[in-house]
Amino acid sequence: MQPNWRKLFLYNDFRDSPQKNTIGFALISRRSFVKLSALLVSGANTFLASCSTLLWKGSSRPFAPLNCPSAAGNKFDYIIIGSGAGGGPLACNLALKGFRVLLLEAGGEDDPCEYYVPAFHARASEHEALRWDFFVRHYADDEQQKRDDKFVPEQNGVLYPRSGTLGGCTAHNAMLLIYPHNSDWDYIAEKTGDESWHSEHMQKYFKRMERCEYARRAEEPDSRHGFEGWLPTNLAEREMLLRDKVLRKLSKAALEESLSGIINPIKRTLLKIKTHGDPNDWRFIRRRPEGLCKIPITTRQGRRAGAREYILRVRKQCPNFLEVRTHALAKRILLDEQNKAYGVEYISGAHQYRADPRHGTATPGTVETVLAEREVIVSAGAFNTPQLLKLSGIGPREELVGHAIEVKVDLPGVGENLQDRYELGVVTRLRENIPLIKGMKLRCPAPGEAPDSQFSQWLRDEGPYTTNGATIALMKRSFPERPDPDLFIFGLIGDFRGYYPGYANNIARTENAFTWAILKGHTANTAGRVTLRSADPRDVPDINFHYFSEGTNAGEDMESLVAGVEAVRNIVRLSSDVIEEEVLPGPEVKSREDIRSFIKNQAWGHHASCTCKMGAATDPMAVVDSRFRVYGTRNLRIVDASVFPKIPGFFIASSIYMISEKACDVISEDAERIQV
Ligand SMILES: Cc1cc2nc3c(=O)[nH]c(=O)nc-3n(C[C@H](O)[C@H](O)[C@H](O)COP(=O)(O)OP(=O)(O)OC[C@H]3O[C@@H](n4cnc5c(N)ncnc54)[C@H](O)[C@@H]3O)c2cc1C
């Protein structure tokens, strides 16, 4: 029998009897710290500047009790569909404002051990109890599509992991929380004419939600970190970097590469000293620097933290205001004659959706109807939100008619404009194993099996399993003329070459693999589409990203990625004392043309977004206005990754969490005007 992981692993706020929290950094000996300092001084002034923050142990204070409103009605004001980064926090925040909220989630509430352990995020994404498997196309062209090693012929696509569980994709993601670029918000303000989206106004949402456990409060006015929010943040890398000689050498090479293209290293050093290289520090955000940066992650006491924990806290403490129905697959939004949303029809039952690996054994669900006094809010993610809108009669007329769906609102933008980052892995083999991961199994112990030493450490809230495996990160402009850094390059322990069934097992196969993941931000391709396969709500839609030559502005994205591969190859060259060879793309991929073909065939993404874009009423492809309201309807909004007109920043969860906070303000402001 499996242990009760939730009871064992939840952090102190959830445990019945709080345990003593120890902090992993305390394990580092004075000698190793002195040795490391010497090394850093010799090679890396800028990095040394961040040591005071490294020494700072952080604080993990218990959450104060939530401030629940005192009265409750017995009907739902809001129905929110989807409990991920967009819908989960919104449901909590509206409930805390005194609205009665129903959160419908198609997945369940399972919490296997893999959910909790940050280093096992890949395993969480492949866990049967959490995952939804989408198989997507990168190209319509069959020949081109099949050149991808990750293509699965029986599924006619490439695996795109999603989570069908409480917390959505925040239940399996890699937990990186990196503030977007200010230009992302300013772009929305400009496109919609709504100044409240300007970057200066948006920062308050990050501050409000963040519960920073690693920065100093004394610097708060300048850093603009939040310390009282619901989303705990910590740093991924410090322990690994400080303790491991191989990782230290790799970081030094990355530092050298990051300094190579910098025009004014002195200015940059000063900035690093002020901000400690923290990408969520406002001084860093404003200056958009290139170079090494820290890796903030959403963890608390070494456990995953995200939308789910917030939902559980609010549900536990304010049960009259937040009701969560899991295993509830929304099949249709109910719209009256004036296209006013008044409720949701959903299928109640486990594993109803065909992306769920257990769908084949599911018993048929029952159809239920639930009514909203105020509004319905769709937060089902970039694939499912457009699907649900279309199933409800909101979408491109021709497509709906083709599936015999009654057209309520002819909105041609629904499901269009699908965007993602392009990602690549440069996989290397190290000359020696990484000492830090010696004997590491990178998995939860089977029942009755002795845990590996890292797992035992993790049970004490210490060691490498408390982080997500990302060790070194740098931001870079692929070309000096790019307004913002557009490449995020980070070092990962293991062999990671994208998503395919079984990828989590392969990451951990050897102890001497190290991957440099290249992530292209601000991609220019907007040609992806989500279209209905059928009118059956249990069917997965057709998803095609139309990469590169099939998409828009292919050259711009491609050349940036080539620059990314070249930068990584420079790091590999600089660390030849620890890296034995490049395994992927491999030595046979030499010329720029070879690199382009490799990228075209092997790139992937995992931040799908923009399929119901926000825009002005004059934009025929806009789906929502700047207050998240779906055009042509009343009382219907969308709050999730699908509303961005352009994919923001480097990692999308921070932006989704921020818009979720904003949506709560906007919705409650509107509610003040409308009495029900
Ligand atoms: C492997 C992986 C790693 C990632 N790592 C990071 C990272 O480190 N940092 C980062 O910033 N981003 C990361 N992301 C991306 C990020 O987590 C997601 O983009 C984000 O969670 C999306 O939020 P969302 O609210 O739009 O949708 P989701 O989080 O996907 O939530 C949607 C929810 O809606 C539910 N749902 C769908 N359809 C229905 C329906 N019809 N009825 C009821 N419920 C429904 C789903 O079950 C799901 O729970 C990662 C993504 C993947 C796949």
Side-chain angles (χ1 to χ4, degrees):
M1 213 182 81
Q2 286 288 331
N4 179 343
W5 297 117
R6 182 174 295 180
K7 201 157 179 197
L8 275 174
F9 294 163
L10 272 180
Y11 40 73
N12 291 343
D13 310 76
F14 285 94
R15 289 175 184 148
D16 294 337
S17 50
Q19 294 174 4
K20 187 173 170 289
N21 176 34
T22 52
I23 292 167
F25 189 79
L27 285 181
I28 297 159
S29 71
R30 181 180 292 271
R31 214 172 111 243
S32 51
F33 178 71
V34 170
K35 253 169 75 183
L36 172 66
S37 298
L39 183 126
L40 289 174
V41 167
S42 68
N45 278 346
T46 52
F47 194 66
L48 184 64
S50 62
C51 273
S52 66
T53 299
L54 290 172
L55 276 166
W56 165 241
K57 286 181 181 180
S59 69
S60 200
R61 295 162 293 119
F63 284 102
L66 292 166
N67 212 351
C68 282
S70 56
N74 54 9
K75 289 186 181 154
F76 299 110
D77 293 310
Y78 296 100
I79 301 174
I80 299 182
I81 302 164
S83 65
L90 178 61
C92 298
N93 290 334
L94 286 172
L96 290 174
K97 282 201 178 267
F99 296 109
R100 191 155 149 69
V101 180
L102 173 65
L103 182 57
L104 294 178
E105 168 53 53
E109 228 179 281
D110 308 66
D111 57 347
C113 150
E114 289 79 359
Y115 170 86
Y116 294 100
V117 188
F120 300 170
H121 57 88
R123 296 204 180 272
S125 78
E126 290 216 281
H127 199 286
E128 198 181 51
L130 307 175
R131 74 178 207 252
W132 272 7
D133 297 331
F134 284 80
F135 286 87
V136 306
R137 300 276 301 206
H138 295 165
Y139 299 98
D141 177 353
D142 267 333
E143 286 285 292
Q144 176 55 48
Q145 183 60 78
K146 287 176 184 163
R147 290 190 190 116
D148 188 339
D149 295 336
K150 302 180 292 300
F151 178 71
V152 181
E154 310 79 64
Q155 302 286 351
N156 193 24
V158 179
L159 175 66
Y160 200 109
R162 297 268 90 187
S163 255
T165 189
L166 192 66
C169 288
T170 71
H172 73 179
N173 75 10
M175 291 152 284
L176 281 107
L177 192 84
I178 312 277
Y179 199 93
H181 290 114
N182 281 337
S183 60
D184 296 317
W185 303 125
D186 297 343
Y187 177 81
I188 300 181
E190 185 203 314
K191 284 287 160 194
T192 59
D194 182 342
E195 262 304 290
S196 69
W197 282 92
H198 193 274
S199 49
E200 274 291 339
H201 302 302
M202 290 303 291
Q203 203 279 336
K204 65 174 176 284
Y205 296 117
F206 190 88
K207 190 175 167 78
R208 187 202 285 176
M209 74 193 186
E210 189 188 22
R211 185 181 182 82
C212 186
E213 297 188 341
Y214 65 88
R216 291 177 194 276
R217 257 180 201 260
E219 293 185 29
E220 184 186 351
D222 297 323
S223 75
R224 298 204 194 170
H225 270 295
F227 295 90
E228 301 298 336
W230 58 267
L231 184 64
T233 56
N234 278 286
L235 290 178
E237 82 276 33
R238 60 183 173 190
E239 191 176 332
M240 289 208 196
L241 266 183
L242 290 170
R243 294 177 75 185
D244 195 288
K245 67 176 195 293
V246 175
L247 294 177
R248 280 199 309 258
K249 284 187 181 165
L250 292 172
S251 342
K252 193 165 164 272
L255 178 72
E256 273 181 53
E257 157 57 34
S258 81
L259 286 173
S260 64
I262 307 294
I263 296 152
N264 192 338
I266 298 172
K267 228 169 147 186
R268 211 181 66 113
T269 304
L270 290 174
L271 178 67
K272 274 272 164 70
I273 289 168
K274 275 196 203 153
T275 65
H276 312 295
D278 174 1
N280 295 339
D281 183 307
W282 182 247
R283 294 162 293 188
F284 187 101
I285 295 159
R286 263 190 325 136
R287 304 293 283 274
R288 302 169 294 164
E290 296 178 58
L292 282 193
C293 66
K294 293 187 171 159
I295 309 175
I297 53 173
T298 53
T299 58
R300 181 161 163 80
Q301 296 167 357
R303 278 113 177 103
R304 174 186 294 278
R308 182 188 277 216
E309 285 64 36
Y310 193 27
I311 298 166
L312 294 178
R313 278 176 63 221
V314 175
R315 184 180 67 179
K316 187 172 173 192
Q317 295 186 36
C318 315
N320 295 333
F321 292 87
L322 179 60
E323 180 171 332
V324 181
R325 290 190 196 163
T326 51
H327 294 142
L329 176 73
K331 71 187 282 258
R332 195 161 68 98
I333 300 150
L334 300 171
L335 299 166
D336 70 9
E337 292 305 305
Q338 280 76 47
N339 288 339
K340 180 171 142 190
Y342 64 92
V344 178
E345 210 171 73
Y346 68 92
I347 308 175
S348 174
H351 321 306
Q352 298 301 306
Y353 200 54
R354 296 205 165 95
D356 187 319
R358 294 189 282 193
H359 174 77
T361 56
T363 47
T366 53
V367 176
E368 311 275 342
T369 298
V370 66
L371 304 181
E373 299 243 297
R374 288 182 179 274
E375 296 187 9
V376 174
I377 299 154
V378 188
S379 303
F383 298 154
N384 292 90
T385 288
Q387 179 184 18
L388 185 58
L389 257 66
K390 288 179 182 184
L391 293 172
S392 312
I394 306 165
R397 174 178 295 279
E398 214 177 306
E399 187 186 346
L400 303 192
V401 170
H403 290 288
I405 296 169
E406 184 197 348
V407 180
K408 289 284 204 175
V409 189
D410 179 11
L411 260 191
V414 177
E416 301 297 311
N417 193 47
L418 169 63
Q419 296 175 39
D420 208 338
R421 308 190 199 294
Y422 288 119
E423 286 170 61
L424 278 178
V426 173
V427 182
T428 62
R429 188 175 9 257
L430 302 174
R431 291 186 189 282
E432 54 182 303
N433 293 351
I434 299 171
L436 186 71
I437 63 168
K438 194 169 182 317
M440 191 189 246
K441 293 179 184 152
L442 210 66
R443 62 170 171 77
C444 299
E449 184 189 20
D452 58 28
S453 63
Q454 291 85 356
F455 196 88
S456 303
Q457 282 181 311
W458 178 81
L459 286 169
R460 302 190 302 271
D461 307 343
E462 296 165 359
Y465 285 171
T466 61
T467 81
N468 64 355
T471 53
I472 307 154
L474 64 110
M475 294 181 182
K476 193 175 169 61
R477 283 180 177 77
S478 54
F479 295 98
E481 61 273 20
R482 295 272 187 266
D484 293 307
D486 61 329
L487 293 175
F488 192 90
I489 298 174
F490 56 120
L492 294 165
I493 294 173
D495 178 332
F496 178 57
R497 42 187 81 194
Y499 302 109
Y500 52 92
Y503 84 96
N505 253 337
N506 285 344
I507 288 180
R509 247 181 345 185
T510 58
E511 283 182 14
N512 65 345
F514 193 85
T515 301
W516 294 94
I518 302 166
L519 198 147
K520 164 76 181 105
H522 302 291
T523 37
N525 183 21
T526 59
R529 305 181 71 202
V530 177
T531 50
L532 289 182
R533 210 179 284 254
S534 80
D536 184 340
R538 294 166 304 176
D539 266 346
V540 175
D542 264 322
I543 297 154
N544 195 324
F545 285 88
H546 295 293
Y547 273 11
F548 299 111
S549 51
E550 286 187 10
T552 49
N553 296 312
E556 198 181 320
D557 288 336
M558 177 60 84
E559 293 317 304
S560 298
L561 282 159
V562 173
V565 172
E566 287 173 343
V568 168
R569 283 186 157 174
N570 195 29
I571 299 175
V572 172
R573 256 190 307 276
L574 290 166
S575 35
S576 57
D577 52 338
V578 280
I579 294 181
E580 186 178 327
E581 62 167 342
E582 177 190 294
V583 179
L584 198 80
E588 65 286 358
V589 176
K590 285 196 182 78
S591 67
R592 288 199 132 205
E593 209 36 53
D594 293 342
I595 298 175
R596 286 189 194 102
S597 301
F598 172 79
I599 294 169
K600 190 169 179 186
N601 298 342
Q602 305 297 341
W604 72 89
H606 71 305
H607 293 161
S609 48
C610 310
T611 47
C612 294
K613 77 167 184 177
M614 186 175 284
T618 48
D619 178 350
M621 297 306 281
V623 176
V624 294
D625 69 8
S626 66
R627 297 180 82 76
F628 305 92
R629 296 175 295 206
V630 177
Y631 281 117
T633 69
R634 286 168 58 205
N635 296 5
L636 180 63
R637 303 194 206 227
I638 302 174
V639 181
D640 64 17
S642 46
V643 301
F644 296 104
K646 256 188 7 187
I647 185 167
F650 285 124
F651 286 88
I652 196 167
S654 58
S655 306
I656 306 172
Y657 283 137
M658 286 169 77
I659 65 166
S660 179
E661 294 289 323
K662 183 181 200 326
C664 179
D665 278 7
V666 167
I667 292 166
S668 36
E669 264 168 40
D670 286 353
E672 274 173 31
R673 288 198 285 271
I674 306 159
Q675 292 304 315
V676 290

